[in-house]
Amino acid sequence: MVKFEYFEPNSLEEACALLKEHGEDARLIAGGTALIIMMRQRLLNPRVVISLADIPDFDFIRFDAKDGLRIGAGARHRDIELAPVVQEHYPLLYETFRKVAQPRIRNMGTIGGNLVQGDPLTDPGASLIALDAKITLRNAGGHRVIPVENFFVDYYQTDLQPGEILTEIHVPPSLPGLAWAHIKFLPRSQEDFATVGVALTMRLNGDRCQDIRLAFNSVAPIIMRAKRAEEILRRQKVDDDRVGKMAEVASTEVDPMDDNRGSAEYKRELVRVLVRRAVKQALERSATGKQGAKQASAPA
Amino acid sequence: MAKAQEFSVVGQRVVRVEGYDKVTGEARYVADVRLPGMLFGKILRSPFPHARILNIDTSKAEKVRGVKAVVTAEDTVKRPWGAFFADQYPLSVGKVRYIGEEVAAVAAIDPDTAEEALDLIEVEYEELPAVFDAEQAMQEGAPLIHDNKPRNTAMTIDVERGDIQKAFTESDLTVEDTFESIPQWHCAIETIGSVAEYAPSGKYTIYMNTQTLFMARYRIAAALGVRETDVRVIQSAVGGGFGGKSCDDNNAMVAAILARKTGKPVKTINSREDEFLAGSRPRVNMKISVKMGFKKDGKIRAKQLRIIADNGAYSGKAPAITGVAALRHDTCYKYSDVKTQAYLVYTNKIPTGAFRGFGNPSAEWAVEQAIDQAAHELGIDPAEIARVNAAEPGYVSPHGNRVTSCELRQCIDRVEKMMEWKKKRAEKKPRIGLGLACTVHVSGKRHFGDYDGGSATIKINEDGKALILCGEGEVGQGAATAMCQIAAEELGIPMEDVEISQADTDLTTFCLGAFGSRVTYVGGNAVKDAATKAKQQILAMASEMLEARADDLVIEHGKVYVRGAEAKAVTVADVARARLFRRGGSPIVASGSFDADSVLPDETRYGNESGAYNFACQAAEVGVDTETGQVKVLKYVAASDCGTVINPIGAEGQVEGSVAQGLGYALIEGLRMEEGRPINPNFSDYRVPSMRDMPDLAHAFARSYEPTGPFGAKGLGELGMDPTAAVISNAIFDAVGVRVKTLPITPEKVLQALKEKVK
């Protein structure tokens, strides 16, 4: 590891000021689960490291029925997984976060750190996109709010601008009866990154799909929303044909790479299979009226 | 036949003797060793798979503040070393032969400074054509990796016993296929590391996490060009070996070279990437063509193998491993007509080497699938075909291996029962299948000269406690605990009154170390011998004290008494004190040794490689997702014949760990390379099964007693992972009718095979 200067600011203002001062030479550190590895491998060699550990109330998790869920960027994966309001109102998030890596990582890594890293193999982004979540990005001069789905730009690249800090994640109020599914396909190990990750939410009215959001991780340079596939089902009757067609379209919409988890071709094939399974799971959950976390499915 | 119930300490579920130190963090691993003035070493590795070194300029690196020395081959004696063939150097001489090879090294006041200096070493290379595939490397005109090895062939085996052609003619069914295995990494939780010191008198002291101290000393001395006793190897606590820490790599040599040049202690600890590039030597990958002839009743009539084994750039243990793959399995089943040809071939990749199973898992991956295939084609239950062929006591393999104890049939029976094999077969469900395979392993292997022995010393201290001095070492496998149990049992003292020393080549007598599932059997026998002799000294002294004949005395729970008159007793402590504190007194101390009654194989590879053979049968039930190709192991059962189980907790751990590594080998692991460069040298890309990935696993140990073993014990450490890959493949075949013939069996390959089957 190359030597660096280390700061522990006590407020976001101070952190933003430090970021502004050191510019490109600086990196923020929260849980460190990604940054430390990259620094050890000398892939990143920041001259300045700014810790967010001492920012007060940076790891809050607050729920309000009207406003929805607000999560501080410093909240750890494990905090989110175990938060009663998440388990009660956002079973999709509970299901997602309990599958992130393993407890040792979940106890260190933060949601903010995860998102700004822009690693397409990680899980939280797809579920946040499926829930239409937004994030707050703040700099020394002010802040902006953008949807998570617009945040991922390219492989390990996000819309985070120099000087900005991701401070908050906002998930809209949970809709009663929202059908959902999360599939993390893990053929090698439960602790692996997903070979394919699918997050799905559907608003149903009888057998019709009022609205749908379908997102993926591990099948493109970014964590992505499959808008073309969604259109096949949106405001349509949900039947095997349409679901099959949606799966087919999704498999062409993704842009996977060959890697240690499988070939691009295999991942497309998995998308076809797993989209159908995700819809099935979501419909089953909706039919039984059991939305809660206890009904969370086993990994595919 | 003695039974476990007759023992008081052997066979008990005892706590690890080093367990407290480990769970409290007290145990000193090599990374914990800190010596005054200690420097940190880092190694510059070859970026090319094959290149001539034209020039190395270290001047810039030497000028970095905090750098104390930069070394290259010019600082060495340039003498090659190796376990069987001396073909590698501690630092490259003239040429590099794989990506990761040690070219130069730096010692500095901290690791970051050393790393910074590495970047400033300027090496001028002339790239040479490289070859990565063993079959291509054998071709005429392939780039030559070692000048004295034509066709890059390190070793050839060509053995025929009986009349193979006649045997195939007399077979009712012939099965033939080709299978490929992969280089698998040990992934021990602790990487290889050393701390070396050099005294101006000429002596090196090296703390290292090796599993074979005396063999490490021998090889380090050879590489440094000094006498064996100029090197003292002290074993630190070891975080797992699995064969990868048997000193076939250069870590300790480089630390020693740096220590000599700087005059300071130097610590070199492999990063995980170092470990993947050039640390522990991965399992030898092999391409195995198997042809087997069977009679209608399932009896094996003929077996023929052709093996191409990938040696990597240097030899290490691969020559012996290839021998095991070629011949060992013929001790598992009874037949007489065998032909085997094996070629060990150099390639421009990381040298392969010893890994739990030592050639067995690769060979069994092929052979046990051929047998399973025959069972299906003959309409015989795979458990039955194993049973009709199974070895039994008194069997002598075509290559001379003499089986003393053998409970393979019992293992098959136990597996059938634990798996509910017959019931499940009768109620076969779609996409769910059962598979089974058997194995044989050794308890020590006679291949380092005509010796497969061990030795130990026991001293009885004044407080009655026994201390075992033994150089076999403890690598996390539980050897120290087993030895303490054996000593306690023989001496008649409680387990808590036995301690075992750290292994240290200056203080303990010669031992070959932890490989070949040998330590409990060979080392245990040596400890038992020492204990027997110490006991004689105790009894002789007690006989004076109790005024009774030594023959009439009994030692139990640390007390010596006259048989039938327990009231008249002295403690072992009383005896030890009485013997010492008197005119002409002496401590109670005895050395023991053992050399297995095995026979060094001759030039035709006929011999008897081990003193005892251990056997196992395993079975799996798997479910296959035919849409994704994913294989899920629903239940796994393992029955092992390791003779008397010395410590059930340790034995169960060995089996569970073996099966975990076996499942990794079968389904998910494997070094992947592109042009000689590992593309998955980290734990994100190279996955091993975690606790959460383990299936429901049941195990059993056969009622068995090995007459030549300590209290009837045999080896166990490797047995459990030998057949696992074949078990899984056989189960997949039973489930969905396809065989994936290359490891690992990824879901993608399964899906592909299913599609081809439909075509």
Side-chain angles (χ1 to χ4, degrees):
Chain A
M1 203 184 284
V2 176
K3 292 183 178 66
F4 56 86
E5 216 180 334
Y6 182 73
F7 293 97
E8 280 187 354
N10 293 311
S11 68
L12 275 174
E13 291 73 19
E14 204 187 321
C16 287
L18 281 165
L19 257 188
K20 194 173 176 185
E21 182 189 340
H22 296 286
E24 297 274 287
D25 291 338
R27 282 274 167 174
L28 296 173
I29 186 166
T33 51
L35 185 69
I36 298 286
I37 292 173
M38 293 198 192
M39 287 172 67
R40 283 219 162 143
Q41 294 186 335
R42 298 199 286 175
L43 294 170
L44 284 176
N45 300 303
R47 292 221 337 264
V48 173
V49 173
I50 304 164
S51 167
L52 299 174
D54 281 357
I55 309 284
D57 197 28
F58 198 52
D59 60 353
F60 61 85
I61 298 174
R62 284 194 282 269
F63 175 72
D64 177 282
K66 279 187 193 136
D67 180 55
L69 181 71
R70 288 186 185 268
I71 304 173
R76 290 166 202 277
H77 300 302
R78 188 76 166 160
D79 300 335
I80 302 169
E81 174 195 355
L82 298 180
V85 291
V86 171
Q87 295 191 3
E88 190 180 340
H89 302 287
Y90 297 90
L92 169 57
L93 288 185
Y94 168 67
E95 174 71 5
T96 306
F97 280 90
R98 79 180 182 90
K99 291 187 213 158
V100 170
Q102 25 89 346
R104 297 186 296 284
I105 302 285
R106 294 207 289 277
N107 276 320
M108 288 302 292
T110 64
I111 177 64
N114 171 274
L115 294 175
V116 297
Q117 196 200 354
D119 178 349
L121 297 179
T122 65
D123 309 306
S127 293
L128 290 171
I129 291 172
L131 289 168
D132 197 14
K134 294 182 173 57
I135 49 177
T136 302
L137 304 165
R138 180 173 171 159
N139 64 17
H143 74 275
R144 61 186 176 121
V145 176
I146 64 163
V148 175
E149 64 174 280
N150 295 347
F151 186 55
F152 304 112
V153 174
D154 205 342
Y155 192 63
Y156 279 85
Q157 276 181 42
T158 66
D159 185 34
L160 189 79
Q161 300 302 312
E164 277 186 329
I165 300 176
L166 193 160
T167 57
E168 185 183 293
I169 293 95
H170 175 221
V171 191
S174 51
L175 295 168
L178 186 75
W180 63 272
H182 183 264
I183 296 178
K184 184 174 185 182
F185 187 67
L186 287 169
R188 298 201 304 177
S189 166
Q190 293 300 304
E191 299 186 359
D192 200 0
F193 289 109
T195 303
V196 173
V198 185
L200 170 74
T201 58
M202 291 198 295
R203 212 144 47 75
L204 297 167
N205 184 2
D207 59 0
R208 292 185 88 77
C209 171
Q210 295 290 99
D211 198 6
I212 176 171
R213 295 178 72 90
L214 175 63
F216 295 99
N217 56 287
S218 304
V219 288
I222 58 168
I223 297 171
M224 59 166 284
R225 183 175 171 194
K227 285 187 180 168
R228 282 200 290 123
E230 289 171 3
E231 280 313 308
I232 308 293
L233 222 56
R234 185 171 284 113
R235 288 182 292 277
Q236 300 292 327
K237 200 175 146 215
V238 182
D239 58 31
D240 287 353
D241 267 7
R242 282 204 183 79
V243 172
K245 194 168 172 220
M246 175 170 82
E248 201 59 46
V249 170
S251 77
T252 62
E253 207 169 353
V254 298
D255 180 17
M257 291 192 298
D258 294 342
D259 67 8
N260 290 295
R261 288 164 194 85
S263 70
E265 199 39 53
Y266 177 61
K267 289 176 197 172
R268 280 189 203 278
E269 174 113 29
L270 285 176
V271 165
R272 264 194 290 273
V273 173
L274 298 180
V275 165
R276 289 201 312 268
R277 288 186 185 178
V279 172
K280 189 161 172 262
Q281 281 179 21
L283 292 177
E284 278 167 8
R285 235 177 234 122
S286 174
T288 56
K290 289 175 181 168
Q291 306 295 312
K294 295 291 172 282
Q295 278 70 47
S297 65
Chain B
M1 184 194 282
K3 292 197 182 70
Q5 297 91 287
E6 293 170 12
F7 306 129
S8 58
V9 186
V10 162
Q12 301 299 312
R13 302 181 74 85
V14 302
V15 170
R16 282 285 181 100
V17 293
E18 83 286 12
Y20 183 87
D21 284 355
K22 282 185 175 167
V23 299
T24 56
E26 296 279 312
R28 275 222 313 182
Y29 291 86
V30 68
D32 300 320
V33 175
R34 278 165 207 277
L35 301 178
M38 188 175 78
L39 304 172
F40 295 84
K42 289 274 175 190
I43 296 169
L44 182 71
R45 303 183 177 284
S46 168
F48 299 113
H50 201 189
R52 220 180 298 285
I53 298 172
L54 302 178
N55 186 44
I56 305 180
D57 182 351
T58 59
S59 56
K60 283 184 192 150
E62 280 158 11
K63 283 184 197 123
V64 174
R65 221 174 125 192
V67 168
K68 299 296 178 189
V70 183
V71 293
T72 66
E74 296 311 312
D75 299 282
T76 71
V77 293
K78 299 188 185 175
R79 234 175 267 172
W81 68 278
F84 295 103
F85 306 147
D87 60 6
Q88 68 171 322
Y89 297 91
L91 292 166
S92 311
V93 175
K95 203 165 122 159
V96 291
R97 296 179 176 86
Y98 71 98
I99 290 173
E101 181 170 329
E102 301 83 356
V103 174
V106 175
I109 52 167
D110 60 57
D112 289 340
T113 305
E115 206 150 275
E116 190 189 328
L118 286 187
D119 294 345
L120 300 173
I121 300 174
E122 289 168 359
V123 186
E124 207 181 318
Y125 293 100
E126 178 198 335
E127 276 190 77
L128 298 169
V131 61
F132 308 110
D133 177 80
E135 273 180 298
Q136 284 172 17
M138 287 171 77
Q139 301 302 314
E140 193 70 58
L144 205 55
I145 299 170
H146 295 270
D147 292 340
N148 58 346
K149 298 285 180 182
R151 292 195 173 218
N152 293 312
T153 305
M155 186 194 70
T156 304
I157 296 173
D158 193 347
V159 168
E160 185 175 338
R161 316 273 186 216
D163 185 339
I164 194 72
Q165 277 196 325
K166 181 161 167 269
F168 276 116
T169 316
E170 289 176 9
S171 298
D172 297 319
L173 170 75
T174 300
V175 170
E176 205 171 350
D177 219 327
T178 298
F179 299 90
E180 267 182 79
S181 68
I182 37 140
Q184 180 190 20
W185 262 302
H186 317 75
C187 301
I189 197 162
E190 180 206 31
T191 60
I192 291 172
S194 319
V195 176
E197 261 187 302
Y198 178 74
S201 58
K203 183 134 186 165
Y204 295 89
T205 301
I206 305 176
Y207 299 83
M208 60 190 288
N209 51 11
T210 178
Q211 57 189 93
T212 53
L213 278 83
F214 285 85
M215 302 313 279
R217 178 176 80 165
Y218 172 75
R219 293 184 203 129
I220 294 165
L224 298 176
V226 299
R227 296 172 69 180
E228 270 115 318
T229 48
D230 289 337
V231 178
R232 176 183 183 184
V233 174
I234 302 172
Q235 188 187 42
S236 56
V238 181
F242 312 111
K245 290 189 178 127
S246 43
C247 197
D248 293 306
D249 66 294
N250 279 315
N251 183 287
M253 285 72 163
V254 172
I257 292 161
L258 288 168
R260 178 170 183 165
K261 181 138 184 187
T262 59
K264 300 251 163 105
V266 176
K267 179 187 268 187
T268 54
I269 306 277
N270 278 355
S271 68
R272 188 56 67 177
E273 195 179 1
D274 288 328
E275 191 82 348
F276 275 110
L277 281 171
S280 54
R281 301 322 200 194
R283 186 183 300 290
V284 184
N285 52 307
M286 302 184 188
K287 188 167 180 182
I288 302 180
S289 299
V290 53
K291 182 178 168 189
M292 291 183 81
F294 295 82
K295 300 299 278 183
K296 276 194 193 106
D297 60 2
K299 287 226 175 75
I300 300 167
R301 184 67 188 85
K303 172 177 166 254
Q304 185 170 348
L305 287 186
R306 186 172 190 272
I307 298 175
I308 296 174
D310 189 342
N311 200 19
Y314 300 100
S315 292
K317 302 274 168 43
I321 292 160
T322 307
V324 169
L327 307 168
R328 170 78 53 76
H329 206 53
D330 302 332
T331 312
C332 191
Y333 301 117
K334 292 179 294 179
Y335 44 80
S336 51
D337 300 80
V338 185
K339 182 172 171 61
T340 181
Q341 290 168 298
Y343 305 89
L344 178 64
V345 187
Y346 287 106
T347 59
N348 289 114
K349 294 185 300 198
I350 179 175
T352 55
F355 189 159
R356 195 181 218 168
F358 208 75
N360 248 345
S362 316
E364 291 180 15
W365 155 246
V367 174
E368 287 289 331
Q369 290 198 71
I371 296 172
D372 185 73
Q373 188 63 37
H376 279 91
E377 289 186 29
L378 291 167
I380 301 176
D381 181 338
E384 205 45 47
I385 204 167
R387 201 178 273 119
V388 300
N389 289 296
E392 51 197 357
Y395 172 57
V396 180
S397 87
H399 317 294
N401 285 352
R402 308 184 81 84
V403 174
T404 45
S405 62
C406 170
E407 297 296 340
L408 179 55
R409 287 205 184 123
Q410 201 190 125
C411 291
I412 299 166
D413 294 346
R414 299 285 284 271
V415 155
E416 267 191 324
K417 207 168 165 193
M418 287 189 289
M419 183 53 91
E420 299 181 273
W421 179 269
K422 289 206 169 95
K423 179 170 170 274
K424 284 180 180 164
R425 266 175 65 85
E427 301 163 4
K428 167 94 174 76
K429 296 188 185 101
R431 299 183 299 280
I432 291 187
L434 295 173
L436 166 149
C438 298
T439 186
V440 59
H441 215 94
V442 290
S443 309
K445 180 168 162 56
R446 204 170 196 86
H447 64 176
F448 288 122
D450 194 0
Y451 180 64
D452 182 24
S455 63
T457 298
I458 292 183
K459 61 172 185 157
I460 310 292
N461 287 294
E462 311 89 271
D463 58 1
K465 281 174 81 171
L467 175 70
I468 306 168
L469 296 153
C470 184
E472 297 288 7
E474 166 66 53
V475 297
Q477 86 278 44
T481 308
M483 289 190 180
C484 289
Q485 285 178 275
I486 289 166
E489 187 70 47
E490 182 64 18
L491 289 165
I493 62 177
M495 178 73 179
E496 56 270 25
D497 279 3
V498 184
E499 290 180 301
I500 187 161
S501 71
Q502 192 171 21
D504 177 334
T505 56
D506 268 12
L507 303 181
T508 52
T509 48
F510 188 89
C511 290
L512 288 167
F515 66 86
S517 302
R518 62 185 295 286
V519 175
T520 299
Y521 175 78
V522 176
N525 264 325
V527 166
K528 186 164 181 273
D529 185 46
T532 305
K533 289 171 179 163
K535 189 177 179 179
Q536 283 162 2
Q537 295 176 26
I538 298 169
L539 292 175
M541 185 67 212
S543 139
E544 282 178 38
M545 295 166 75
L546 294 168
E547 297 173 336
R549 281 159 37 102
D551 288 355
D552 294 333
L553 299 178
V554 178
I555 314 181
E556 222 176 52
H557 307 303
K559 283 186 182 148
V560 193
Y561 57 88
V562 181
R563 202 183 310 271
E566 258 183 77
K568 198 182 168 192
V570 288
T571 64
V572 171
D574 295 337
V575 176
R577 281 203 186 90
R579 196 169 188 265
L580 184 63
F581 296 112
R582 58 170 178 169
R583 270 185 76 84
S586 65
I588 297 172
V589 59
S591 286
S593 66
F594 174 78
D595 187 20
D597 186 21
S598 46
V599 180
L600 186 70
D602 63 18
E603 36 322 335
T604 74
R605 295 187 176 258
Y606 191 91
N608 178 22
E609 58 181 329
S610 184
Y613 297 88
N614 20 318
F615 296 86
C617 177
Q618 298 184 348
E621 181 182 29
V622 305
V624 180
D625 181 333
T626 51
E627 282 189 315
T628 63
Q630 189 179 2
V631 174
K632 203 167 171 147
V633 182
L634 305 170
K635 186 174 176 68
Y636 204 92
V637 300
S640 315
D641 166 16
C642 60
T644 301
V645 176
I646 302 282
N647 179 11
I649 300 177
E652 288 159 12
Q654 284 283 11
V655 173
E656 287 168 12
S658 296
V659 170
Q661 280 183 323
L663 291 174
Y665 187 52
L667 294 167
I668 62 177
E669 293 185 44
L671 155 65
R672 298 178 67 218
M673 288 189 146
E674 275 171 11
E675 302 286 293
R677 181 180 303 279
I679 57 169
N680 53 349
N682 59 67
F683 281 154
S684 169
D685 294 319
Y686 189 105
R687 282 282 163 185
V688 293
S690 76
M691 200 74 97
R692 290 154 70 199
D693 302 314
M694 284 299 282
D696 176 11
L697 169 63
H699 39 58
F701 295 93
R703 288 176 308 282
S704 171
Y705 190 91
E706 167 55 43
T708 66
F711 301 105
K714 299 190 275 190
L716 175 66
E718 297 167 89
L719 194 59
M721 89 160 284
D722 290 343
T724 310
V727 169
I728 296 298
S729 190
N730 292 344
I732 294 168
F733 182 79
D734 188 50
V736 290
V738 300
R739 273 187 202 280
V740 172
K741 293 168 189 174
T742 60
L743 285 173
I745 309 168
T746 62
E748 185 165 6
K749 290 183 196 168
V750 173
L751 199 60
Q752 189 60 34
L754 285 166
K755 282 182 188 162
E756 277 161 19
K757 187 187 160 207
V758 173
K759 272 180 198 166

